[in-house]
């Protein structure tokens, strides 16, 4: 096993050690968006747990069978794994009964927001509705992955607690993502109140890691791509935005921790204080790894439409830490691990 694979296997091992895997023994998971950044790491971690006897069954859903085969094909002959070609906007009622449903399918990067705002809304809202209906039918739990973007823009130097409400702007196409996530959260609360569905809620900060797609247009993802190519890191702004980031292995362990220990209907911010950095510092760490420079370049009109106008989005994670979760990675090590794992694949 080469160094890069060893690093990623260490990440998966830490997830399994951080989470009370015994609580998931024999559970059946339905995961949409299986080939995405978080979905892939989550599935890898659960399959890793199976090597320790967890006996977890996974129904992994995605729109593209060929894409799934390239990212998850190693599991196709495993009796615990089942890939289902499926559009997140369609019903889940025909699928086998499960215990946990995690609707991760979403357009989560700026170009998708600007080019496909209607589709973005439909995937988020209909995906949530179908997950909740499936949970109602099966007596399952939904682990709903929401986002830092539901808080809107910070009012000054505020930090986002789970009760925070910031400044919202509906007068642009980019509102398709945060507003559909807010509606999906409201739908979760409605199914809890009216139909007794069990829902665990997490609000993710900006997540990155070695399971990212090279087509991801988020600024942080493009920094990583540039570093892998040995090119200067391009910043489309002054880079003064201050955001919370989370390494994907920490995000997955936090999600599973909330699934097991979180309170029904209570949202938990997923963030890591050691990964609260300005965008230019994220760029600098990528540039240092590649031995390159950070350069500044104005965005195109299409790119600009998808960009967040937020200058500050820091998540308070005290509620998550209060139920016993702690991160494993600081920012420098997380970026380094991401680049080291990906460098032999590109």
């Amino acid at each position: 096993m080469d160094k890069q694979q060893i690093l990623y296997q260490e990440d998966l091992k830490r997830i399994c050690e951080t989470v009370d895997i015994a609580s998931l023994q024999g559970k059946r998971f339905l995961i949409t968006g299986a080939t995405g950044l978080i979905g892939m790491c989550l599935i890898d971690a659960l399959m890793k747990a199976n090597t320790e006897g967890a006996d977890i069954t996974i129904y992994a859903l995605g729109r593209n069978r060929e894409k799934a085969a390239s990212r998850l094909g190693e599991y196709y002959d495993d009796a615990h794994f089942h890939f289902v070609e499926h559009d997140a906007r369609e019903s889940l009622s025909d699928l086998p009964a499960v215990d946990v449903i995690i609707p991760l399918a979403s357009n989560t990067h700026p170009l998708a927001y600007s080019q496909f705002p209607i589709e973005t809304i439909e995937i988020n809202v209909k995906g949530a509705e179908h997950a909740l209906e499936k949970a109602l039918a099966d007596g399952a739990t939904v682990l709903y992955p929401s986002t830092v973007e539901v808080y809107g823009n910070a009012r000054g130097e505020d930090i986002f607690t789970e009760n925070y409400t910031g400044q919202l702007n509906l007068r642009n196409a980019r509102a398709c993502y945060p507003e559909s996530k807010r509606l999906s959260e409201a739908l979760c609360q409605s199914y809890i109140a009216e139909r007794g569905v069990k829902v665990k809620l997490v609000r993710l900060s900006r997540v990155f890691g070695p399971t990212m797609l090279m087509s991801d247009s988020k600024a942080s993802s493009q920094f990583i791509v540039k570093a892998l190519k040995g090119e200067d890191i391009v910043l489309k702004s002054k880079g003064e935005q201050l955001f919370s980031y989370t390494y994907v292995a920490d995000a997955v362990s936090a999600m599973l921790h909330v699934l097991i220990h979180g309170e029904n209907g209570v949202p938990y911010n997923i963030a890591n204080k050691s990964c609260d950095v300005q965008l230019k510092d994220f760029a600098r760490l990528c540039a240092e790894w590649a031995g390159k420079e950070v350069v500044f370049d104005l965005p195109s009109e299409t790119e600009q439409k998808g960009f967040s106008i937020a200058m500050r989005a820091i998540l308070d994670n005290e509620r998550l830490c209060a139920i016993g979760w702690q991160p494993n990675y600081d920012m420098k090590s997380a970026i380094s691990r991401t680049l080291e794992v990906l460098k032999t694949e590109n």
Side-chain angles (χ1 to χ4, degrees):
M1 187 182 296
D2 60 28
K3 177 186 176 184
Q4 290 72 28
Q5 189 61 24
I6 289 172
L7 284 174
Y8 185 57
Q9 289 302 314
E10 284 178 357
D11 289 346
L12 301 180
K13 185 172 184 291
R14 284 180 181 173
I15 293 171
C16 293
E17 290 173 346
T18 302
V19 175
D20 180 15
I21 290 295
S23 298
L24 304 177
Q25 180 76 28
K27 298 293 186 183
R28 297 159 297 174
F29 280 71
L30 189 159
I31 301 167
T32 72
T35 60
L37 166 70
I38 296 174
M40 186 174 172
C41 184
L42 173 61
I43 290 168
D44 284 341
L46 294 176
M47 293 300 288
K48 177 75 170 179
N50 279 343
T51 66
E52 303 294 328
D55 193 29
I56 295 168
T57 299
I58 299 169
Y59 294 93
L61 279 59
R63 284 195 287 188
N64 189 313
R65 185 174 292 276
E66 290 183 2
K67 178 180 174 182
S70 69
R71 286 171 71 79
L72 297 165
E74 64 183 292
Y75 303 129
Y76 276 25
D77 294 329
D78 193 306
H80 288 95
F81 181 86
H82 310 275
F83 177 75
V84 181
E85 195 166 2
H86 180 271
D87 189 307
R89 293 168 290 185
E90 298 173 353
S91 172
L92 300 168
S93 61
D94 291 338
L95 294 174
V98 294
D99 303 295
V100 179
I101 303 164
I102 309 178
L104 283 164
S106 185
N107 289 337
T108 59
H109 60 98
L111 282 180
Y113 301 157
S114 61
Q115 294 174 348
F116 308 109
I118 297 172
E119 178 187 78
T120 299
I121 292 171
E122 290 179 341
I123 290 173
N124 285 343
V125 177
K126 291 184 179 180
E129 180 184 10
H130 293 318
L132 291 161
E133 283 290 332
K134 177 68 171 167
L136 180 63
D138 293 358
T141 297
V142 172
L143 175 60
Y144 187 72
S146 190
T147 170
V148 57
E149 299 217 28
V150 300
Y151 294 112
N153 296 327
R155 302 186 299 264
E157 300 298 308
D158 296 342
I159 294 175
F160 298 161
T161 67
E162 285 84 356
N163 296 322
Y164 188 85
T165 54
Q167 299 171 352
L168 303 173
N169 179 11
L170 299 178
R171 295 188 63 188
N172 59 61
R174 195 190 186 282
C176 63
Y177 183 72
E179 289 305 316
S180 56
K181 280 293 191 178
R182 285 166 62 88
L183 177 55
S184 296
E185 279 204 38
L187 199 59
C188 287
Q189 297 294 354
S190 299
Y191 269 79
I192 293 169
E194 187 173 335
R195 298 181 180 174
V197 174
K198 191 172 184 180
V199 183
K200 306 295 181 75
L201 287 159
V202 295
R203 292 175 182 159
L204 292 150
S205 61
R206 288 161 169 81
V207 180
F208 69 96
T211 50
M212 63 173 276
L213 294 163
M214 293 300 111
S215 59
D216 191 332
S217 61
K218 290 195 293 291
S220 56
S221 300
Q222 288 305 301
F223 298 164
I224 291 166
V225 170
K226 289 286 187 181
L228 291 169
K229 291 179 178 179
E231 300 175 4
D232 287 336
I233 308 303
V234 179
L235 258 177
K236 297 284 187 174
S237 67
K238 293 181 180 180
E240 295 175 347
Q241 303 93 320
L242 179 61
F243 296 147
S244 291
Y245 294 91
T246 309
Y247 185 55
V248 67
D250 275 338
V252 167
S253 73
M255 289 173 67
L256 292 174
H257 192 86
V258 170
L259 172 65
I260 297 166
H261 301 288
E263 186 177 344
N264 190 45
V266 174
Y268 293 85
N269 286 340
I270 293 181
N272 176 356
K273 291 181 181 178
S274 68
C275 294
D276 294 344
V277 300
Q278 288 189 306
L279 194 62
K280 62 184 178 182
D281 292 322
F282 196 123
R284 176 181 54 79
L285 288 168
C286 291
E288 287 177 356
W289 181 89
K292 294 295 178 178
E293 301 293 330
V294 176
V295 298
F296 298 84
D297 183 40
L298 293 176
S300 68
E301 184 177 347
T302 300
E303 288 173 322
Q304 187 70 47
K305 287 180 180 179
F307 285 2
S308 170
I309 61 172
M311 289 300 296
R312 180 183 175 90
I314 299 298
L315 289 177
D316 181 287
N317 70 350
E318 291 303 317
R319 180 179 289 175
L320 176 62
C321 293
I323 60 169
W325 180 82
Q326 290 294 326
N328 286 308
Y329 305 90
D330 61 22
M331 195 64 175
K332 185 173 182 179
S333 65
I335 289 177
S336 175
R337 294 178 81 87
T338 298
L339 290 163
E340 288 293 332
V341 172
L342 286 173
K343 70 180 182 181
T344 56
E345 301 176 13
N346 296 276

